[in-house]
Amino acid sequence: MSRSSEFRAGVAHSAPLLLALVPFGAVYGALATRTGFTLSETLGFSLSVYAGSSQFLALQMIGTGAPVWAILIGVFAINFRHVLYSASVGRHLSRFDGVEKALAFFLLVDPSFAAAEARAGDGVVRKTYYFAFALMLYVGWALASLLGALFGRLIENPERYALDFALPIYFLAQTMAFRHRRQFWPVAGTSAIVALLAYATLGTPWHVTLGGLAGILVASLRTPETPAKAEGEAA
């Protein structure tokens, strides 16, 4: 595919996600200003951290007066999955140089991880496609945060609309697209069980990290799929 077609594909595939991401980011912006963040702090947090779940967690902990060290540990725990994402997606970035990989990893969030893995399954993850997709989400998230900070006070009780569930539902749908692979149910099942147990005993955000690590452990202990088997099962 040409660069222009790869660019158009990246933009087209990311555009539907903005329908979920924009209101989610706007809710963050509104809650951030209500927590006491200035406009520049709200936007700067989105541009530098760029991780919705950890940004919401940080807002909640700041609102309760939690110490800085506790906030840092919480954000690290809930964002540790990005280390796992990088390890997986990094296998497909052979066409990227060092600087491009660093930028790709910075822009690596749940939807871009799912898109890169799906793209790798169909062929090659090209730079034009990846950055068109990822930058659309990054800019959209920043603009949504800004809009939320500016106009969020006009929305009374934003939690009632359950907008924070939009992206998790999307990512669940992306995850289920891999359900026909032989390794899927043992890995996903173990990860889900461990995550539920961790949530019930340790609470958030440790269930995200421990569930992901449990799934990786099961995947590493199982016999890898051979290309011939994978093609046979897909047929």
Side-chain angles (χ1 to χ4, degrees):
M1 296 179 68
S2 65
R3 287 188 177 181
S4 60
S5 59
E6 287 284 321
F7 177 82
R8 289 194 299 270
V11 171
H13 292 170
S14 63
L17 296 178
L18 294 176
L19 297 176
L21 183 145
V22 168
F24 189 40
V27 170
Y28 155 74
L31 293 178
T33 55
R34 294 185 183 189
T35 303
F37 279 33
T38 65
L39 184 63
S40 59
E41 289 170 342
T42 300
L43 182 58
F45 202 35
S46 281
L47 290 173
S48 58
V49 177
Y50 185 44
S53 55
S54 64
Q55 288 179 232
F56 276 98
L57 174 67
L59 288 181
Q60 182 181 4
M61 297 182 73
I62 291 171
T64 59
V68 174
W69 64 265
I71 296 172
L72 292 176
I73 291 175
V75 169
F76 174 81
I78 202 169
N79 270 0
F80 186 78
R81 71 188 188 280
H82 291 273
V83 176
L84 310 181
Y85 289 169
S86 299
S88 179
V89 171
R91 301 171 301 161
H92 312 309
L93 304 184
S94 58
R95 296 169 177 260
F96 293 53
D97 62 30
V99 174
E100 291 166 343
K101 281 185 178 181
L103 179 59
F105 289 148
F106 173 75
L107 297 171
L108 186 58
V109 290
D110 294 346
S112 51
F113 165 73
E117 288 292 332
R119 199 73 171 178
D122 295 333
V124 178
V125 179
R126 300 182 186 277
K127 290 181 277 189
T128 303
Y129 174 85
Y130 182 92
F131 286 122
F133 183 99
L135 285 171
M136 279 280 289
L137 297 184
Y138 181 67
V139 173
W141 176 256
L143 291 177
S145 300
L146 180 60
L147 289 174
L150 290 172
F151 304 108
R153 294 183 184 276
L154 300 177
I155 304 175
E156 295 183 1
N157 191 22
E159 294 85 355
R160 66 178 294 186
Y161 300 106
L163 295 176
D164 53 327
F165 280 95
L167 285 181
I169 289 173
Y170 162 79
F171 192 61
L172 177 61
Q174 291 292 310
T175 301
M176 293 304 295
F178 298 96
R179 67 186 181 280
H180 297 299
R181 295 189 179 184
R182 183 171 60 88
Q183 306 280 18
F184 178 82
W185 290 111
V187 173
T190 301
S191 181
I193 291 171
V194 171
L196 289 172
L197 290 174
Y199 182 79
T201 55
L202 301 175
T204 186
W206 298 104
H207 64 295
V208 176
T209 299
L210 295 178
L213 290 175
I216 289 175
L217 178 61
V218 172
S220 66
L221 294 177
R222 292 179 63 85
T223 303
E225 287 184 11
T226 63
K229 287 183 179 180
E231 291 175 4
E233 290 172 6

